[in-house]
Each structure stands twice: as structure tokens, then as C-alpha cells.
Amino acid sequence: MMRLDWLELDNRECNRDWENAIEYSYSEWEKDQSNKTKLIRTLFLYWYVYVEDIPSFLSDDQVLSRLKAVSSFGKEYLSDNIDFQWLYGYVSSINPELFGKLEDYDEIEQEGRLFIKRALEKEPKNIFLQMLEKGTEPYDKYSKWKYDRRNDLERYFKNFFQGCSLYDEYFAEIGNKSL
């Protein structure tokens, strides 16, 4: 796994300039679709904007259409990339309805879990990936696992998700919950 810093987008997110960040990320990704940082960060931003209902100049349908375009491209061209695997796995397993038809909900959720598992197979000692994979288990089992590893998780999150971007703040918060 690598840090996914994108200075121009980070600055927009740190300044809470959501409309500019939303348009900038997608237009930059369209210009350079092979750039994995741009794809992954755009995927995350559009997922977050849609799920958290951040006001945007785009309609919900436009946000969802772009989210699906970015995720489809990622699945086709970056399905073996560990950073795409864990992020797509995470967002699609918790919001499968955004990535396909409602009748495919269970299949998409399982696909998301499989993406997380594939990422963990590449870096089995990565505590963050372990946490994502354990998060698919029953809550009491997951919370005990997380509590037992709270010091290691705290170190990981302080080192890896340390910026002020939406991406860093979101995952730092997820990591620090219940530590």
C-alpha cells in the first residue's frame, strides 16, 4: 500500500472547497485515466459526496454516474492494484447499491469483500487491511480484535492517514473509532 497524496486535490479538500474538488478530481482523472492515485481518490471523493449528501452543483444522478464510471474503469484496469482493491472493496461492500442493480446487492457486497481479501493476501501483515477484513465479521468479534490491537492501529493511522484531506480525515476517523 502507498500513501495516495494528490496535492492539488488535497488543498481543495483541506479548504473544504467541495465543488471545485469534485469537478477538479473528475476532470483530471479523465485527462489521465491510467493514474491510479487520481482514479482512487476520485472514486473515494465521489462515493463520499454521494453517501454523505454533500451539496454539489451536480445532481445525485450525475455524481452516481461518475462514481460508476470511475469504479468500472478501476475494476477493468486496476483490479490487481492493492490500493484500488481495498478502497473499492470497502466502499462497495458497505454501499453495494451504488455499484450495480438493486437485485445484485448481495453479489456486489460479496465482490467488495473479495476485493478486500485479495488486498490482504498481498500484504497479510498490514494491520489496516486486516482491520477492513475483520470488519466484515460480527461486531463483537471485530471490536475485540480491534481493541486487542489498538496500539498498533493507532500508530498505523497516525503514520498513514495524517493529512487534512477528506480521504485522510475519513480513514483516520474510522481507524480511531473505539480504540
Side-chain angles (χ1 to χ4, degrees):
M1 280 184 48
M2 61 179 268
R3 282 200 44 83
L4 296 170
D5 297 321
W6 182 3
L7 184 60
E8 297 84 359
L9 181 60
D10 293 347
N11 289 336
R12 288 167 171 82
E13 290 179 359
C14 292
N15 291 325
R16 305 298 191 241
D17 185 0
W18 301 123
E19 288 190 8
N20 196 337
I22 291 164
E23 188 57 34
Y24 174 80
S25 68
Y26 193 79
S27 65
E28 288 298 309
W29 170 71
E30 282 187 308
K31 293 176 194 172
D32 188 9
Q33 292 183 340
S34 64
N35 183 307
K36 70 179 178 180
T37 296
K38 289 179 180 179
L39 183 141
I40 294 166
R41 289 287 303 278
T42 300
L43 170 65
F44 173 77
L45 179 60
Y46 274 77
W47 169 78
Y48 187 88
V49 164
Y50 190 86
V51 169
E52 295 298 324
D53 203 24
I54 291 179
S56 169
F57 61 94
L58 298 172
S59 70
D60 283 351
D61 287 343
Q62 289 172 308
V63 172
L64 192 55
S65 175
R66 288 181 175 190
L67 173 64
K68 287 178 178 179
V70 173
S71 64
S72 293
F73 187 90
K75 283 174 56 178
E76 186 170 345
Y77 295 101
L78 288 178
S79 64
D80 288 332
N81 177 278
I82 190 170
D83 295 303
F84 178 80
Q85 288 172 333
W86 75 257
L87 181 66
Y88 176 76
Y90 176 78
V91 299
S92 66
S93 66
I94 61 175
N95 293 111
E97 71 279 6
L98 303 181
F99 298 93
K101 297 176 184 166
L102 198 51
E103 59 266 17
D104 297 330
Y105 185 97
D106 291 337
E107 182 181 313
I108 296 166
E109 181 182 31
Q110 290 304 315
E111 176 189 55
R113 291 178 178 190
L114 180 61
F115 267 84
I116 292 170
K117 185 177 181 173
R118 288 172 49 204
L120 181 59
E121 288 170 355
K122 289 180 179 176
E123 286 189 24
K125 295 185 185 217
N126 184 308
I127 197 158
F128 173 69
L129 297 176
Q130 291 173 18
M131 184 192 80
L132 293 180
E133 200 268 334
K134 295 287 183 193
T136 65
E137 296 179 359
Y139 183 75
D140 58 334
K141 189 174 181 181
Y142 168 67
S143 60
K144 180 181 179 349
W145 178 90
K146 194 171 177 184
Y147 179 80
D148 291 345
R149 289 156 185 82
R150 65 190 175 280
N151 293 331
D152 292 335
L153 285 164
E154 188 175 327
R155 267 191 304 280
Y156 183 89
F157 282 96
K158 281 184 181 176
N159 290 330
F160 206 82
F161 297 107
Q162 59 192 348
C164 66
S165 71
L166 180 62
Y167 174 83
D168 283 335
E169 287 180 354
Y170 177 85
F171 286 105
E173 183 179 325
I174 294 297
N176 289 321
K177 281 186 180 177
S178 305
L179 287 182

